[in-house]
Amino acid sequence: MYEMNAFILILFMVAVGALIGGVTNHLAIKMLFRPYRAYYIGKFRIPFTPGLIPRRRDELAVSMGKTVVDHLLTPDSLQKKLLNPAFKGETVKWLKAELTPIFQSETPIEEWLEELNIPVNTMMIHDTLDKWIETKVIETRLSYANRSLGETIPLDWKEKAEEKIPEIVTMIAGKAEDYFTSPEGKAKVKVMIDDFLKERGMLGNMLGMFLGNTSVADKVQPEIVKFIKHPGTQEILLNLIRSEWEKLQEKTVGELTGSFSDEALVSSVQSYAKRTLKIGEFFARPLGSVLSRHEETFFNKLLPAWVDRGTDLLGRKLPGVMEKMNLQEIVQEQVSSFSVGRLEELVLGISKREFKMITYLGALLGGIIGIIQGIFALMIG
């Protein structure tokens, strides 16, 4: 009977000790957060209100900010991550996956620009180009109006033009020879001789009857060709063209363009520029048709090089960037802005299992103390 009472006593002591230990630890954990605010009886604040974390939330925010900056998000740790070859490789791989659809896009360039809110389209460029050409043409015309063509044309242009004069003479002589040796040229010579003889009246008729029109044309045509091929003729033509070229250079730009109105000249240049540039056709093309030819070079050479340089540059600038960002203040402000309930959720979400173990440990220690108390009670009794 004595042993049964002793066992019940020890068991009771263990249950009470475990209950007290578990409840005490659980209550202590709760008191870290609860109550959320202070309670008063009259002017006197009830002890342990609010809980430890609500009461010292500002200190906790400062401490967390300092911990994050000094031990978690340090410049050295982030630099190591940025300069890690594996990280660079993953960055290139990610960028390639994101950019590949763009390089293969069938969407017109103009739609891409609209989607990106870039105010560039065919009409806008045409308007800008028209205004720029109008301004430049008028300014240029006014600026060069009183200057001679020789002063306006660059020296190398004049040298090239003078070098081309002999070629022009040769070309003109060749074209003339080809014409007068052709059936059309022979027919033209015959018509000219007929007209010549008719203008001479009776003398012409007598000469024509005596020689015969065809005979005269056949004899004159080879002489015309000989005249054209004669070096003296080509020299005359050469001197004539050079003389006209010299006279042309002495004329002012205003004299040469005087017959053109500003509106006509501007319109002509604008039309030529639009036909040459084909801006509308370019913006109507799919973006992929423009980028695809550069896809291999971009992904295999340019992109890895840019990522490498970008991460190196960011790594060097990172300490200064982090200092200007003031991460400690950011973390501090964020923690301070959290409600106490939100802080409790964050802490319990991370350490819920550990807090349970503390509660169980309290119950275990309480039970052990209960056994010891029960043994002492039996010994004293």
Side-chain angles (χ1 to χ4, degrees):
M1 187 67 180
Y2 175 77
E3 289 81 3
M4 187 64 180
N5 290 335
F7 176 75
I8 292 174
L9 177 62
I10 292 174
L11 186 62
F12 177 75
M13 289 289 188
V14 169
V16 172
L19 180 62
I20 293 173
V23 171
T24 302
N25 281 11
H26 180 73
L27 183 61
I29 292 172
K30 288 294 183 182
M31 287 179 67
L32 290 173
F33 304 95
R34 308 291 179 93
Y36 293 157
R37 61 184 181 86
Y39 290 93
Y40 292 86
I41 298 177
K43 295 182 179 181
F44 298 98
R45 180 172 61 84
I46 299 176
F48 306 111
T49 63
L52 177 63
I53 290 179
R55 186 168 64 251
R56 306 186 66 176
R57 181 171 61 178
D58 293 338
E59 297 177 29
L60 176 64
V62 173
S63 178
M64 288 184 68
K66 187 173 180 60
T67 300
V68 168
V69 172
D70 293 345
H71 302 287
L72 298 178
L73 295 178
T74 64
D76 289 341
S77 63
L78 293 176
Q79 282 177 331
K80 290 180 180 178
K81 182 64 175 179
L82 286 172
L83 300 178
N84 190 324
F87 173 78
K88 293 181 180 180
E90 289 298 321
T91 302
V92 171
K93 184 178 179 181
W94 174 76
L95 288 173
K96 184 175 181 179
E98 293 294 322
L99 296 175
T100 296
I102 297 177
F103 277 77
Q104 299 173 355
S105 174
E106 294 296 324
T107 304
I109 295 174
E110 195 158 6
E111 291 186 19
W112 267 102
L113 294 174
E114 290 178 3
E115 187 174 344
L116 296 173
N117 293 322
I118 299 176
V120 178
N121 52 53
T122 304
M123 183 177 296
M124 187 272 287
I125 292 181
H126 278 173
D127 291 342
T128 303
L129 183 64
D130 286 345
K131 292 177 182 177
W132 182 83
I133 289 175
E134 182 178 4
T135 301
K136 289 300 178 181
V137 167
I138 295 175
E139 288 180 354
T140 302
R141 187 168 185 177
L142 292 175
S143 176
Y144 288 90
N146 297 321
R147 298 175 63 178
S148 68
L149 183 63
E151 295 175 341
T152 305
I153 298 176
L155 181 60
D156 57 335
W157 286 21
K158 289 194 288 186
E159 291 175 351
K160 289 180 180 179
E162 290 172 0
E163 291 174 359
K164 291 291 182 180
I165 291 177
E167 296 180 15
I168 294 173
V169 170
T170 303
M171 181 189 70
I172 293 174
K175 293 293 183 181
E177 181 181 351
D178 292 341
Y179 176 76
F180 284 107
T181 55
S182 67
E184 182 183 357
K186 289 181 180 180
K188 186 65 176 178
V189 170
K190 184 177 183 302
V191 171
M192 291 172 64
I193 292 174
D194 289 341
D195 293 339
F196 176 79
L197 294 176
K198 287 179 182 179
E199 291 175 359
R200 295 301 177 271
M202 185 179 295
L203 180 61
N205 292 333
M206 290 176 62
L207 184 62
M209 292 173 61
F210 180 74
L211 297 175
N213 292 344
T214 304
S215 175
V216 174
D218 290 340
K219 291 179 179 181
V220 171
Q221 188 265 345
E223 296 302 322
I224 294 175
V225 174
K226 288 181 183 179
F227 176 78
I228 292 172
K229 296 173 65 176
H230 194 278
T233 304
Q234 296 194 14
E235 184 177 355
I236 293 172
L237 187 59
L238 179 65
N239 292 334
L240 179 62
I241 293 177
R242 280 178 175 168
S243 176
E244 292 300 319
W245 171 239
E246 293 296 332
K247 292 179 182 179
L248 184 64
Q249 293 184 66
E250 292 175 359
K251 291 187 177 181
T252 64
V253 175
E255 291 175 339
L256 295 173
T257 61
S259 59
F260 300 98
S261 66
D262 288 342
E263 293 78 7
L265 188 58
V266 168
S267 178
S268 176
V269 176
Q270 289 172 342
S271 299
Y272 175 78
K274 290 175 184 177
R275 289 196 307 270
T276 304
L277 296 176
K278 298 179 180 178
I279 297 170
E281 295 181 15
F282 174 79
F283 280 106
R285 294 173 61 185
L287 181 63
S289 67
V290 178
L291 298 180
S292 59
R293 70 187 70 174
H294 309 292
E295 184 174 359
E296 184 176 353
T297 301
F298 179 81
F299 286 125
N300 295 336
K301 295 181 180 179
L302 296 179
L303 184 60
W306 290 353
V307 169
D308 189 57
R309 293 177 184 176
T311 51
D312 289 346
L313 177 62
L314 183 58
R316 291 195 301 271
K317 300 292 184 181
L318 192 59
V321 173
M322 293 183 66
E323 183 178 353
K324 290 181 179 180
M325 289 179 64
N326 199 350
L327 289 179
Q328 181 173 341
E329 183 177 345
I330 294 174
V331 174
Q332 181 178 337
E333 290 176 354
Q334 285 295 106
V335 175
S336 297
S337 67
F338 288 163
S339 65
V340 180
R342 176 61 174 160
L343 285 175
E344 183 179 10
E345 289 178 6
L346 289 175
V347 175
L348 292 180
I350 297 172
S351 305
K352 186 175 183 179
R353 182 178 179 183
E354 286 72 16
F355 283 152
K356 284 185 178 180
M357 293 303 298
I358 291 173
T359 302
Y360 296 153
L361 179 61
L364 177 61
L365 292 176
I368 294 173
I369 293 173
I371 293 173
I372 296 173
Q373 286 179 336
I375 293 173
F376 272 112
L378 290 174
M379 291 174 61
I380 293 173

